[in-house]
Amino acid sequence: MQMERPDVDDKTGGINQNYIVPGLRRGLAVLGLFGRSRPTMRLAEIGRELGLPRATAFRLVYTLETEGYLLRGKDSVTYSLGPRVLTLGFDYLHSQELIEIAGPLLDELRDRVGASTHMGLLDGCDVLYVYRAPSHQRLSSNRRVGSRLPAHFSSLGRALLMDLSDDELAELYDDNYNFHALTERGPGNLDELKRCLEEERQQGYIAGSFIGDGIISIAAPVRDASKRAVAAINVSDYESLPCMEDLHGTLKDNVLKTAADISHHLGYI
């Protein structure tokens, strides 16, 4: 059965314009004007190219400059692409490289231990799931690619936080952060998180999470040539699976070996 797509017009089979955000489309159009042959542009040129009134072009450019997607030149009249655009591109390419390298190794780990494996990246205070190899068991962890969890109470998240200094943690978790927004489990404030991470640094891996009853996990950081954690992997599944019984033994050894193999491919020595 074909799934219904609300963004497709039933009459024409094309994109339904009712779902398009005009301002976003115009902002993307502004960014699309820049390229190797035209690295800088003036406000008047941008407005003329897109057929926009000067006031509209100014608001678009001002917003993009404020968000870091455009940079104003030293002459104060020309604009070029800003670092935010480059960051988006590099983050995308880096995540694809990670998945290309880590995917087969995480599949092998899943087959070796008989439980679901995952990889995540740190995005602000969240861990973003970018890869999942579900187990072949009837029951398996249902954490999907693209889903997020607060980093401080998930095993993947804390494996990523392990390499952050106290200053970096304080910058990430300001006084307004609610550690118990989703659950009363886990660290309740920054000091408790620091103590938790210090214990986990000493053992070199993360055992368990505070997500919910019945699920257990082992996680380890993945590092690149910078010797900093750029991702984390885990085995996470129902604690009733036989492979999850030897949490601090065979299972831990397998996770650490796979993390080391991925790190080696990324230039970590």
Side-chain angles (χ1 to χ4, degrees), residues 217-252:
S217 58
I218 284 281
V222 170
R223 298 181 173 95
D224 64 7
S226 70
K227 303 188 185 302
R228 299 266 291 186
V230 294
I233 65 166
N234 75 3
V235 170
S236 179
D237 222 312
Y238 289 93
E239 60 183 355
S240 58
L241 295 179
C243 64
M244 307 303 285
E245 295 177 0
D246 192 13
L247 195 66
H248 295 277
T250 303
L251 189 60
K252 174 261 296 182

Side-chain angles (χ1 to χ4, degrees), residues 67-241:
E67 295 299 317
Y69 292 102
L70 288 180
L71 282 179
R72 192 182 308 199
K74 294 181 179 179
D75 57 9
S76 297
V77 295
T78 58
Y79 296 87
S80 61
L81 292 178
R84 193 79 180 271
V85 174
L86 297 176
T87 299
L88 288 175
F90 285 133
D91 285 349
Y92 170 77
L93 292 173
H94 191 48
S95 67
Q96 296 307 298
E97 179 189 19
L98 280 169
I99 292 170
E100 184 177 343
I101 291 171
L105 294 171
L106 287 170
D107 291 347
E108 290 177 11
L109 176 62
R110 181 267 317 273
D111 295 340
R112 193 160 62 247
V113 303
S116 300
T117 61
H118 310 82
M119 182 169 69
L121 307 178
L122 190 64
D123 186 13
C125 295
D126 292 341
V127 58
L128 171 66
Y129 283 73
V130 297
Y131 192 83
R132 173 179 181 251
S135 79
H136 302 304
Q137 305 287 338
R138 184 174 61 86
L139 293 176
S140 68
S141 168
N142 62 357
R143 190 64 55 191
R144 302 298 180 186
V145 170
S147 61
R148 295 170 178 269
L149 284 174
H152 70 279
F153 72 73
S154 70
S155 64
L156 280 179
R158 294 203 311 285
L160 284 158
L161 296 175
M162 283 172 64
D163 281 7
L164 298 186
S165 67
D166 285 355
D167 288 342
E168 289 171 321
L169 287 169
E171 184 176 349
L172 193 61
Y173 293 98
D174 60 28
D175 294 338
N176 296 320
Y177 186 79
N178 185 358
F179 282 83
H180 286 159
L182 295 183
T183 176
E184 291 298 313
R185 301 169 183 260
N189 54 55
L190 182 55
D191 287 337
E192 290 181 12
L193 175 60
K194 289 178 180 178
R195 287 194 292 270
C196 183
L197 289 173
E198 183 55 35
E199 294 177 2
E200 290 167 334
R201 287 188 191 104
Q202 292 179 13
Q203 69 180 10
Y205 61 94
I206 311 295
S209 68
F210 306 102
I211 294 174
D213 295 327
I215 298 292
I216 198 165
S217 58
I218 284 281
V222 170
R223 298 181 173 95
D224 64 7
S226 70
K227 303 188 185 302
R228 299 266 291 186
V230 294
I233 65 166
N234 75 3
V235 170
S236 179
D237 222 312
Y238 289 93
E239 60 183 355
S240 58
L241 295 179

Side-chain angles (χ1 to χ4, degrees), residues 42-57:
R42 292 172 177 262
L43 178 63
E45 292 179 286
I46 293 172
R48 185 167 57 250
E49 285 279 343
L50 298 178
L52 299 173
R54 182 178 176 83
T56 301

Side-chain angles (χ1 to χ4, degrees), residues 24-36 38-39 41 46 50 60-61 63-65 67-71 79-82 84-86 88:
L24 177 58
R25 171 178 270 180
R26 286 195 292 265
L28 294 173
V30 170
L31 297 178
L33 293 175
F34 296 85
R36 183 175 299 178
R38 188 165 52 180
M41 294 188 71
I46 293 172
L50 298 178
L60 288 170
V61 168
T63 301
L64 291 168
E65 180 188 4
E67 295 299 317
Y69 292 102
L70 288 180
L71 282 179
Y79 296 87
S80 61
L81 292 178
R84 193 79 180 271
V85 174
L86 297 176
L88 288 175

